[in-house]
Amino acid sequence: MKRRLSAVLAALMAVSLLATAAYASSNYQSGDVPIGSSNEVLMVGTVVPSVMSVTMPTYVPFHVSRTIEGDNKVISPRITVTNNSSVPVALDVTYTSVDLSKLPGAAWGTGSNVAPNEIAIGFQPETLANQMPTTFNRTTWLQANTQQNINVMSLNAYGNSTMYVVGTLGDAVPENNSFSVIPTFVVRQA
């Protein structure tokens, strides 16, 4: 009985496969390509990353002093930024919150030439390995408490780059006090 049932099921399966193949070969539309044809179908796909990831420090202490030789009056650690994405990215600053309340009479400057009561801070890419910049070549200056859209660096896919905090201060800016500079970074596909 079991053999007979197996034989019947095998016969039904063979008939259904033949019927399906006959139907498929006679009922394709004009845009369809039959299997075994010499026609080729070009399929193009695009991979778009859903997540861009960049690693960088969340806290960067730096010191500013008029006694530092050179134009740059800041001592800063190396700031290494790593792109963990499979696409090139750009790192921009869209806003910088600046609090100078502990520096009485001080104001924010917008570049390397500051007034006696001004202080200016920016970012500069590393040009010599493990050496702080002494000049302001290629510095991107931060603007205080206003919307901005400045590019700080671009990174290749899975690449990294290094920058430093640089800055200057006028003769009337009080020393031995602290202030805060908090840039808002945005990562976008380059």
Side-chain angles (χ1 to χ4, degrees):
M1 181 76 159
K2 286 184 183 180
R3 279 188 188 192
R4 197 171 188 185
L5 183 59
S6 297
V8 170
L9 286 176
L12 285 174
M13 202 166 172
V15 169
S16 65
L17 284 173
L18 287 173
T20 303
Y23 177 80
S25 65
S26 64
N27 289 319
Y28 70 89
Q29 296 178 4
S30 62
D32 294 341
V33 178
I35 297 174
S37 166
S38 62
N39 296 336
E40 294 180 3
V41 177
L42 175 65
M43 298 176 66
V44 178
T46 303
V47 177
V48 178
S50 58
V51 175
M52 287 181 283
S53 171
V54 172
T55 304
M56 66 183 301
T58 58
Y59 176 76
V60 178
F62 61 92
H63 301 282
V64 182
S65 176
R66 283 186 284 278
T67 60
I68 298 173
E69 290 187 33
D71 294 333
N72 179 25
K73 302 299 181 188
V74 171
I75 296 175
S76 152
R78 295 176 83 224
I79 303 167
T80 300
V81 181
T82 303
N83 180 8
N84 304 309
S85 310
S86 61
V87 295
V89 298
L91 185 65
D92 299 337
V93 174
T94 59
Y95 188 87
T96 304
S97 174
V98 176
D99 180 4
L100 300 176
S101 62
K102 295 181 182 176
L103 298 174
W108 192 257
T110 58
S112 60
N113 297 319
V114 293
N117 69 327
E118 289 182 332
I119 188 166
I121 299 295
F123 292 111
Q124 187 179 122
E126 182 178 67
T127 52
L128 297 172
N130 299 311
Q131 289 188 9
M132 284 278 315
T134 57
T135 67
F136 294 126
N137 297 338
R138 300 176 53 202
T139 296
T140 302
W141 296 99
L142 298 174
Q143 301 169 24
N145 304 315
T146 185
Q147 293 294 327
Q148 56 200 33
N149 187 21
I150 56 173
N151 179 257
V152 177
M153 71 172 51
S154 295
L155 299 153
N156 292 327
Y158 302 112
N160 60 43
S161 189
T162 303
M163 64 182 169
Y164 290 92
V165 176
V166 296
T168 189
L169 69 162
D171 293 336
V173 176
E175 291 188 287
N176 297 324
N177 285 319
S178 64
F179 64 99
S180 67
V181 179
I182 305 171
T184 301
F185 290 98
V186 173
V187 176
R188 63 179 169 80
Q189 187 171 343

